[in-house]
Amino acid sequence: MSFVEHLKFAKAKPFVVPRAAMGYFKSFIGMPVLRTVDFGVSAKCSFQCKMCSATKIYRGGEELSVKEIISTFQDAQKLGAIHINLTGAEPLMRDIDELCEIIKGCSPKKNLISLVTNSIHCTKEKLARLKNAGLDTLQISIESLDEKKNDEIRGTKGHFWKAMNAMYDARDLGLIVCLSCVLSEDTWEDVENIIDFAKGKAFVLINPVSSAGRGGMKILDYNRYSKLLKNRHVRADTVSNFRIKQGCPGPERIHITAYGDVIQCPHVQIAFGNVRNESLISIWRKMLSVPHYSEISDKCKHVFGKDFNEKILSKIENLEELPIQYEEFLKL
């Protein structure tokens, strides 16, 4: 965001500013603090994306209730969280009334609330309801401006135009729009084209291909990747953090599956507990004692960390069912 855009956003969300300032302060003095919770609110998805990282963690189970999700995020706020990102599988496959209830229950005046979608179930009416409930940002998944290539990667014909329509509908409604794309060895030019296209329309979130799920373990060219992040309209999970330094969020970010398992991130599918069995506060504090979670890194560890891949991810990449509980991981 530009300075002017930051001022506008601060004016619209005045209660977020002091809470964010406290997060920066705690980080500055060396205290661990939680910033963002990626929350799977649906285990369902109608897509068969080639690079999906969620194929193994959503194999059946009982989704968390609205009450459980809200209660868990309330715990996250006690740990410092100011951002909840509603994800899945595909969040818009959850009942729209329940989604609005979740957003309202997560104190939208005090927090940043985003939702990531493949857009196939988007309608302007649904987006308007989510906006009125308190949604700030809509992240729309798209892989290429080549309609055929995009739909092939996403495994669904007609996806490209659904994504385009969702983008313009969201902009009309006053939502912040982010185009979310997966960067792989085969999509460098596609991502660059999306960045050019998005100028003046949306931000672009770059997600390096995951070593989990169908993506397979790959190490990308870090220097080439870093050049993409120099564009002020481009974001990545490693860019925004309380440390004001680029790198793996570490303790600042967690992912909670639709079944309640708490993992480090969507791409490191090792669970430290389940919010149905113990509080998120207890689970997060346990995570802080684990080196591969708490260690600070200036790069995304699962994509660019060779040692991390060899010591951690290589042990679980061939497992059929994930996440694996940390205690079981230690036995591998």
Side-chain angles (χ1 to χ4, degrees), residues 27-246:
S27 181
F28 177 75
I29 63 175
M31 289 180 62
V33 58
L34 183 62
R35 172 179 53 89
T36 292
V37 179
D38 286 313
F39 217 129
V41 294
S42 172
K44 304 178 184 69
C45 185
S46 57
F47 276 30
Q48 292 292 322
C49 302
K50 286 187 173 181
M51 65 298 178
C52 180
S53 62
T55 54
K56 293 183 179 180
I57 60 175
Y58 289 127
R59 291 177 173 268
E62 182 184 354
E63 293 179 346
L64 294 174
S65 68
V66 170
K67 184 177 179 179
E68 287 174 318
I69 292 171
I70 293 172
S71 175
T72 300
F73 187 66
Q74 288 173 344
D75 277 349
Q77 290 180 95
K78 295 174 184 176
L79 297 171
I82 60 171
H83 175 210
I84 181 170
N85 184 38
L86 306 181
T87 181
E90 171 50 47
L92 287 181
M93 289 192 74
R94 186 156 189 152
D95 179 77
I96 188 66
D97 291 333
E98 291 193 348
L99 282 177
C100 290
E101 190 178 348
I102 290 168
I103 291 171
K104 291 176 182 177
C106 289
S107 305
K109 289 185 178 180
K110 297 180 180 180
N111 296 292
L112 310 178
I113 302 180
S114 57
L115 182 147
V116 56
T117 177
N118 60 33
S119 74
I120 205 71
H121 298 286
C122 271
T123 65
K124 196 167 187 178
E125 180 184 7
K126 282 184 180 180
L127 295 180
R129 290 192 60 187
L130 295 171
K131 172 72 162 58
N132 290 335
L135 184 68
D136 299 304
T137 301
L138 187 72
Q139 295 183 21
I140 302 168
S141 300
I142 187 169
E143 308 307 332
S144 175
L145 296 182
D146 180 322
E147 177 184 352
K148 183 178 180 181
K149 183 175 182 179
N150 176 83
D151 292 359
E152 181 182 349
I153 294 174
R154 282 280 160 184
T156 302
K157 189 174 182 180
H159 170 254
F160 175 80
W161 289 112
K162 283 293 292 185
M164 289 293 101
N165 290 335
M167 179 185 74
Y168 288 112
D169 284 344
R171 280 173 51 82
D172 286 346
L173 292 166
L175 286 163
I176 298 171
V177 180
C178 178
L179 298 182
S180 179
C181 49
V182 176
L183 176 65
S184 71
E185 296 168 325
D186 302 321
T187 61
W188 286 99
E189 290 186 7
D190 295 286
V191 171
E192 290 168 349
N193 290 337
I194 289 172
I195 292 171
D196 289 338
F197 165 78
K199 290 177 182 177
K201 303 182 187 72
F203 294 105
V204 176
L205 178 68
I206 299 179
N207 305 284
V209 63
S210 174
S211 57
R214 301 188 185 110
M217 192 172 289
K218 297 178 177 69
I219 303 294
L220 297 174
D221 184 331
Y222 180 72
N223 291 329
R224 189 176 181 184
Y225 169 72
S226 295
K227 288 180 182 178
L228 296 178
L229 300 186
K230 291 181 179 179
N231 188 308
R232 73 183 188 90
H233 299 289
V234 174
R235 298 288 182 271
D237 289 341
T238 55
V239 171
S240 300
N241 54 59
F242 284 143
R243 298 192 311 278
I244 320 180
K245 293 181 180 180
Q246 183 172 313

Side-chain angles (χ1 to χ4, degrees), residues 231-286:
N231 188 308
R232 73 183 188 90
H233 299 289
V234 174
R235 298 288 182 271
D237 289 341
T238 55
V239 171
S240 300
N241 54 59
F242 284 143
R243 298 192 311 278
I244 320 180
K245 293 181 180 180
Q246 183 172 313
C248 173
E252 289 189 20
R253 191 169 193 138
I254 56 174
H255 184 97
I256 304 176
T257 74
Y259 307 137
D261 291 306
V262 182
I263 60 181
Q264 177 175 1
C265 81
H267 316 295
V268 185
Q269 297 170 355
I270 300 171
F272 293 86
N274 188 291
V275 296
R276 282 194 167 120
N277 302 325
E278 58 183 310
S279 74
L280 178 63
I281 294 172
S282 172
I283 295 170
W284 186 73
R285 286 174 177 165
K286 183 186 351 178

